[in-house]
Amino acid sequence: MHKQTVKVGVGQLVFTFGLPPKDEAEETQENGPLASRAPLAAERRAERKHKWHSLIDKVYALPNLWEAWQQVRAHQGAAGIDKMSVEKFGERALERLEQLSADLRNKSYRPQPVRRVLIPKNGGGQRPLGIPTVRDRIVQQALLQAASAPSSAGTDL
């Protein structure tokens, strides 16, 4: 067995680790026989039923963007740097969401700069507040929904 000493701090603690050589594994009371490791690995693989390679296809899916739009519309909020309000976006929401989905799918979507507004603080003075565009808020919400979706919503691989 190969012993390795690692010093941590200024001589306060000394840890000694006993590591078997890589080509020689030992059986101990803690790890049991070597044969018992294989079923454990197979069991772990069985637990991972859903594996996602990418979230972007979940983000730009039209039903997800529509749900994100509903959330943004419910929260209202001010217009961003493009001066498009939630109400104005809603006038042609489906058309705009289809275009947003295409931009995300084609990787041509670019977020707009955030509009900076100074708001008063309770104790006096002001603090900056960033207001993204409605379109950017929808993408943020869609990403949040895709990332927090239950694993059953994913694809089976």
Side-chain angles (χ1 to χ4, degrees), residues 67-78 86-87 137 141:
E67 187 177 333
W69 157 242
Q70 297 300 321
Q71 289 291 320
V72 169
R73 187 175 69 175
H75 289 106
Q76 289 295 313
V86 174
E87 293 80 22
R137 282 184 261 169
Q141 182 65 35

Side-chain angles (χ1 to χ4, degrees), residues 14-15 22 26 35-36 43 47 50 56 59 68 70-71 78 82-83 88 118 122 124-125 138 149-150 153 157:
V14 176
F15 295 104
K22 291 187 182 202
E26 293 182 0
S36 69
E43 184 179 312
E47 288 175 10
H50 307 286
I56 191 65
V59 173
Q70 297 300 321
Q71 289 291 320
D82 62 355
K83 301 200 187 315
K88 186 170 181 172
L118 296 174
N122 288 338
I138 292 170
L157 295 178

Side-chain angles (χ1 to χ4, degrees), residues 35-99:
S36 69
R37 291 183 184 174
L40 206 100
E43 184 179 312
R44 284 188 187 133
R45 269 186 258 121
E47 288 175 10
R48 284 190 269 147
K49 294 178 183 176
H50 307 286
K51 186 174 182 181
W52 289 359
H53 294 286
S54 175
L55 285 179
I56 191 65
D57 59 327
K58 281 78 175 164
V59 173
Y60 65 67
L62 206 51
N64 187 39
L65 287 175
W66 183 259
E67 187 177 333
W69 157 242
Q70 297 300 321
Q71 289 291 320
V72 169
R73 187 175 69 175
H75 289 106
Q76 289 295 313
I81 200 165
D82 62 355
K83 301 200 187 315
M84 182 176 294
S85 66
V86 174
E87 293 80 22
K88 186 170 181 172
F89 189 94
E91 291 171 3
R92 295 175 33 211
L94 187 56
E95 180 183 328
R96 294 179 204 271
L97 291 174
E98 287 172 347
Q99 181 61 48

